[in-house]
Amino acid sequence: MADDSMMVEDGDGFVRRCIWEIVPESRDEIPRLEREELLLFGDGDGNVGMYTLITYAFVYPVLQPFLASESTDEAVAQRCARLIDALLASGRPSVRDMVSLRVTDELLGCPGYWKRFRPYAGPHLLAEVEERKVYYRDVDDEGV
């Protein structure tokens, strides 16, 4: 049996921990998703995959409402940006792919979202958008 101190945290656990630590408004959603996972797959351990976590504990309940709101909650925007950059900075290809598909696509694919979020974006997200913006219409250096 492997020593727990020698085990490397998997991508799912890493994403869960980052969301839990950086975006406190998601803390109720994560256990709900874990309970749902146990109900659906009773023989499992309740671990929720990173794509489900980012989508249902971050994008839908936190990021989308911020982006769609007419008022600006600077603290929420800053936490969102911090989470996205932490995930992209991890150096984990599977986590980066997940962010690209679930977060970057959301920001660049919905009219006005990137323009609204760009002022908060950290260096890793800015680099990600620079790479990916060629696949989207109406995204330029001004964030439009």
Side-chain angles (χ1 to χ4, degrees), residues 25-46:
E25 45 273 78
S26 292
R27 290 185 184 157
D28 290 339
E29 197 60 28
I30 293 171
R32 188 195 67 72
L33 290 168
E34 292 168 341
R35 286 189 304 275
E36 186 176 282
E37 187 81 8
L38 280 171
L39 286 172
L40 290 172
F41 309 102
D43 59 347
D45 55 11

Side-chain angles (χ1 to χ4, degrees), residues 66-77:
F66 166 76
L67 294 169
S69 173
E70 293 194 20
S71 64
T72 300
D73 187 332
E74 296 279 328
V76 169

Side-chain angles (χ1 to χ4, degrees), residues 124-143:
H124 296 284
L125 178 57
L126 290 171
E128 162 86 357
V129 167
E130 188 61 32
E131 267 182 44
R132 305 268 328 272
K133 73 181 184 181
V134 298
Y135 302 109
Y136 297 88
R137 285 186 276 168
D138 301 326
V139 176
D140 59 27
D141 293 330
E142 284 77 46

